[in-house]
Amino acid sequence: MLDRLPLLIGLRYVRAKRRNHFISFISLTSMLGLMLGVAVLILVLSVMNGFDHELRTRILGMVPHTKIESRSGLVEWEAMAERLMQRERVIGAAPYVQQQGMFSVSGRNEGAMVNGIHPEWEDRVSIIGRHMQRGSLDDLQPGEWNIVLGSLLARHLGVGVGDRVTLLVPEASITPAGVFPRLKRFTVSGIFSVGADLDANLAYANIEDMQTLARLGDAVGGLRLELDDLFVAASETRAIINELGTGYRGIDWTFSHGNLFQAIQMEKRMIALLLTVIIAVAAFNIVSTLVMVVTDKHADIAILRTIGATPRSIMGIFVVQGMAIGVIGIAIGVALGILLALTISDLIGWVESALGIQFLDAGVYFISDLPSRLHWDDVRNIVAAAFGLTFLSTLYPAWRASRVQPAEVLRYE
């Protein structure tokens, strides 16, 4: 019976209606603090995981994991592509010609990067084909001078499928009449949307058309490579360049979007740390609750000691009481956090539709909706941290209770 004493009395103290309403209020606020802290931490980490996933699938699905270029261009690119595809880490390769330029339509000007691609090869290294709103990459046939624009770029230019746009490239053409900027008229044959900032500054044309515009002849600008793991891009790029020898250079995705990825990882760690502090504050509110309960229960503690309860049993009573408060708060917080993490995207979408506003503009942020991705490892770590902080907060009040001297207390009863 004495072995079960801490559990029975500790749980009874939690259930019992206390005469001191202030103690009940502090217990309730501690429980609510733990609940909100755990729920918010699960939700925020899930949203950060969603941003991380969108970065990998959307932006890095459009941006090559690595690019292999040559100073003089690649002429026998098909043979090199087959050679590189034999490497264990390389799962896709496609040629490209990249040209920075400015589109002009009826006085509207927008800068963009134009990628000359081979429609049959592009699906090996890019998700662009799965995000076409109108038209198809197959419409980019050589000699037809068709172009596919991002949805935001097309909107800013005020054009749609079938309209004509003029591309000005930062190179001059010398003619008998003088020096003129090089330009070419394209027909918009398609529009894509990936819900990222690439929709506003990226366009696609046929690689042979871009070779003609850039005066490359049969050479291409380089090869885009898709790897089985984007985190080995830097080391794999160095290995490829060492294998190819001098005259080549490699550019992996960390040069263009590495800072964004690192920023998301840093923000996730810092937000997790800050919200863990909130959980710690809520957990250590249990200290004040238990200290007041110990003071209020001096007589009960003294009586228990006189009938044989050991200091360890007394300490266990208040550890059980504090942990019970923590378990209830953490359990409700976990349930609420998981529910919000699984439904936040739909909830935000409903609020946007109801209010007619958009919280995330793809022209400002790199995505247009709020992503959420629940990782059970995060939930387990949050629960473990909350339990640990709750347990630590019970030790001091429980130790003080075990130090109560029965003779001094009962002398005045």
Side-chain angles (χ1 to χ4, degrees):
M1 181 65 183
L2 290 178
D3 292 339
R4 299 175 57 194
L5 186 67
L7 180 62
L8 294 174
I9 298 179
L11 293 178
R12 182 183 178 186
Y13 279 173
V14 175
R15 295 193 307 268
K17 294 183 178 179
R18 299 187 181 89
R19 294 166 296 176
N20 192 330
H21 295 290
F22 183 69
I23 297 177
S24 300
F25 175 75
I26 295 297
S27 299
L28 180 61
T29 56
S30 301
M31 192 180 300
L32 290 176
L34 280 170
M35 179 190 73
L36 291 177
V38 169
V40 171
L41 186 52
I42 291 175
L43 174 60
V44 171
L45 290 186
S46 297
V47 171
M48 297 304 294
N49 291 333
F51 273 98
D52 177 70
H53 180 261
E54 291 299 316
L55 173 65
R56 299 189 193 187
T57 57
R58 291 195 184 187
I59 293 185
L60 295 182
M62 299 285 289
V63 175
H65 290 176
T66 188
K67 297 189 295 184
I68 304 300
E69 298 178 346
S70 173
R71 296 189 182 96
S72 57
L74 300 179
V75 178
E76 298 179 355
W77 59 268
E78 292 188 57
M80 179 176 289
E82 294 297 331
R83 175 183 174 185
L84 294 178
M85 283 288 294
Q86 295 177 3
R87 296 184 64 87
E88 180 180 359
R89 291 289 190 177
V90 179
I91 59 176
Y96 73 92
V97 173
Q98 199 167 65
Q99 179 70 64
Q100 185 76 35
M102 182 175 67
F103 289 100
S104 179
V105 180
S106 302
R108 298 181 181 179
N109 301 309
E110 292 289 338
M113 181 68 72
V114 183
N115 281 343
I117 62 170
H118 197 300
E120 297 179 1
W121 289 62
E122 189 64 15
D123 285 342
R124 304 181 183 185
V125 297
S126 173
I127 62 173
I128 178 63
R130 301 194 296 270
H131 290 271
M132 295 294 297
Q133 286 186 333
R134 299 185 64 185
S136 169
L137 291 182
D138 294 333
D139 297 329
L140 300 178
Q141 296 300 317
E144 295 185 3
W145 297 96
N146 289 333
I147 196 164
V148 172
L149 302 179
S151 57
L152 292 177
L153 179 60
R155 187 190 308 171
H156 294 161
L157 292 171
V159 297
V161 174
D163 293 334
R164 303 292 297 276
V165 296
T166 301
L167 175 64
L168 291 84
V169 298
E171 296 181 11
S173 297
I174 301 176
T175 68
V179 179
F180 293 93
R182 191 182 307 171
L183 53 86
K184 183 62 182 178
R185 296 274 286 178
F186 285 85
T187 301
V188 178
S189 63
I191 295 175
F192 71 86
S193 176
V194 292
D197 59 348
L198 298 175
D199 293 341
N201 52 39
L202 191 60
Y204 289 90
N206 184 272
I207 191 169
E208 294 185 22
D209 293 342
M210 293 306 296
Q211 284 174 317
T212 302
L213 184 62
R215 298 178 179 175
L216 293 177
D218 294 331
V220 299
L223 287 175
R224 302 169 63 190
L225 302 181
E226 180 87 359
L227 306 178
D228 61 350
D229 184 359
L230 61 92
F231 293 108
V232 301
S235 59
E236 185 68 13
T237 301
R238 287 193 298 268
I240 291 174
I241 295 302
N242 291 335
E243 178 183 322
L244 294 177
T246 59
Y248 296 92
R249 68 169 183 167
I251 304 173
D252 62 81
W253 66 272
T254 59
F255 284 92
S256 58
H257 290 82
N259 290 337
L260 179 59
F261 180 80
Q262 293 173 1
I264 291 178
Q265 294 297 311
M266 179 62 71
E267 288 174 4
K268 179 180 177 181
R269 287 191 289 266
M270 293 305 298
I271 290 175
L273 178 61
L274 293 175
L275 293 178
T276 302
V277 172
I278 296 177
I279 296 177
V281 171
F284 282 103
N285 279 340
I286 297 176
V287 175
S288 58
T289 300
L290 294 182
V291 166
M292 288 185 288
V293 171
V294 169
T295 303
D296 189 54
K297 300 295 184 180
H298 267 192
D300 295 354
I301 295 171
I303 293 172
L304 289 172
R305 289 294 306 279
T306 58
I307 63 175
T310 63
R312 183 176 180 179
S313 297
I314 300 299
M315 190 173 179
I317 291 172
F318 293 96
V319 169
V320 168
Q321 182 183 359
M323 290 300 296
I325 295 173
V327 166
I328 295 172
I330 293 169
I332 298 175
V334 168
L336 180 61
I338 292 175
L339 178 63
L340 289 174
L342 295 176
T343 60
I344 188 64
S345 298
D346 296 332
L347 181 61
I348 293 298
W350 178 82
V351 172
E352 289 179 339
S353 300
L355 301 180
I357 59 176
Q358 186 174 12
F359 292 112
L360 295 176
D361 185 355
V364 178
Y365 306 97
F366 73 90
I367 59 172
S368 57
D369 55 356
L370 187 66
S372 178
R373 195 172 183 85
L374 182 65
H375 288 177
W376 293 108
D377 287 342
D378 289 339
V379 176
R380 284 192 290 268
N381 292 336
I382 292 168
V383 171
F387 270 118
L389 292 171
T390 301
F391 177 73
L392 291 176
S393 68
T394 64
L395 294 181
Y396 173 71
W399 176 79
R400 283 196 52 179
S402 68
R403 303 289 292 176
V404 171
Q405 299 298 323
E408 294 182 6
V409 174
L410 297 177
R411 180 185 306 170
Y412 304 103
E413 293 293 331

